Amino acid sequence: MATADFEAALLVVDNLVFAKRGKHLSEAEIIVLKGAWDDDDYEEVAQNSPYSLNYLQRRIAPPLWDLLSETIGSGERVGKKKLRRILLEQVTKKYPIQSVPIEKQRPSGNELVRVTGSYLPDISSFYGRTKELTHLKQLVQHGVS
């Protein structure tokens, strides 16, 4: 798949992770995700990054797979081998990333991503985080500037 597909899926995942833990994916986490998307082994990922194999494979990947299992897994364990399939089959059904033009630049800090288009994510099964949901509704109603 094209890099654009990965970038679009990354934006969706990054926003879901931010909603779950209050911070965006780190550079190392994104490197692991890109390696998994490209079906690279951890050695290849480490060689093409500023991080060691041990750091990516033992310190970054396990908590990342746990987080993604909770966030996008829909009851399925997300891992390096299943990531691409889960992103393409499950996440893109809930969040039509192919249909929504998304600004290319990933947010830094606590900025919001501006999504343009006519499709909004289905939040009918959005549980908890009442304060955040209220804030999100206000942003949608009043527009984000």
Side-chain angles (χ1 to χ4, degrees), residues 10 12 19 23-24 26 40 50 77 85 126 131:
L10 177 62
V12 171
K23 66 179 190 172
H24 292 284
S26 70
D40 293 339
R77 173 78 180 149
R85 180 186 55 79
F126 194 96
K131 181 179 172 185

Side-chain angles (χ1 to χ4, degrees), residues 45-57:
V45 175
Q47 286 174 354
N48 297 315
S49 80
Y51 302 102
S52 72
L53 170 63
N54 186 53
Y55 179 72
L56 293 175
Q57 190 173 22

Side-chain angles (χ1 to χ4, degrees), residues 4 27 32 40 42 46 57 60-61 67 72-73 97 104 114 127:
E27 178 187 23
V32 169
D40 293 339
Y42 286 110
Q57 190 173 22
I60 296 297
L67 176 64
I72 64 170
I97 58 177
K104 291 250 182 204
R114 181 179 296 267
Y127 298 103

Side-chain angles (χ1 to χ4, degrees), residues 114-130:
R114 181 179 296 267
V115 177
T116 58
S118 59
Y119 299 99
L120 293 175
D122 175 21
I123 59 169
S124 60
S125 61
F126 194 96
Y127 298 103
R129 298 193 173 257
T130 308

Side-chain angles (χ1 to χ4, degrees), residues 64-106:
L64 177 62
W65 302 136
D66 291 342
L67 176 64
L68 294 179
S69 296
E70 294 172 19
T71 309
I72 64 170
S74 300
E76 186 175 353
R77 173 78 180 149
V78 176
K80 188 173 165 301
K81 296 295 181 193
K82 294 181 182 178
L83 176 72
R84 189 179 189 126
R85 180 186 55 79
I86 289 171
L87 287 176
L88 292 173
E89 292 178 5
Q90 296 179 21
V91 175
T92 57
K93 288 179 184 174
K94 287 184 181 179
Y95 309 96
I97 58 177
Q98 304 292 341
S99 319
V100 181
I102 300 176
E103 290 184 0
K104 291 250 182 204
Q105 191 171 4
R106 188 173 162 268

